[in-house]
Amino acid sequence: MAYAKFPTLNHRADVDYGASDELEFSIKSVNFGDGYEQLSPAGINSIRSTFNITFSNLTIDDAQLVEAFIRSKKGVEPFLFDFNREESRAVTCSQLSRTVDNFERITISAQFRESHQ
């Protein structure tokens, strides 16, 4: 399946410093009566990343571009995103907040969750 790519911003190249990539491991656990425990990955995509990112000092045009793109995906349609110049990954956006910093400058914070669709 072909995914849309996160839009290129006119006045920004990347997310702010301090962005994080949190890993979540999905495992199956079986406990035996003698205290022994057996662990195994839950499925073929058992590791999922969650990216907490911020775009600060955006122009109104760039902020509207980001917000319109995210809204169009409605939290369920994956899109491609490059985190920290790594290979593009399919993600969905589960949260977005918009803050007006000062005249014509906006900060957008978002949480992107890796998609295994």
Side-chain angles (χ1 to χ4, degrees), residues 4-75:
K5 183 140 177 68
F6 190 79
T8 301
L9 304 178
N10 296 319
H11 301 96
R12 289 289 308 253
D14 208 351
V15 299
D16 288 0
Y17 291 111
S20 66
D21 177 1
E22 299 173 9
L23 297 177
E24 178 184 342
F25 300 92
S26 182
I27 59 170
K28 290 183 180 181
S29 172
V30 177
N31 292 308
F32 298 95
D34 60 357
Y36 179 76
E37 180 180 38
Q38 183 176 4
L39 303 173
S40 64
I44 58 173
N45 294 314
S46 62
I47 302 173
R48 184 178 304 237
S49 289
T50 300
F51 305 100
N52 295 299
I53 61 165
T54 302
F55 296 98
S56 61
N57 206 27
L58 293 175
T59 63
I60 291 173
D61 290 342
D62 280 348
Q64 288 173 341
L65 179 68
V66 169
E67 192 170 348
F69 180 80
I70 297 295
R71 283 180 182 268
S72 75
K73 304 303 175 195
K74 300 179 181 172

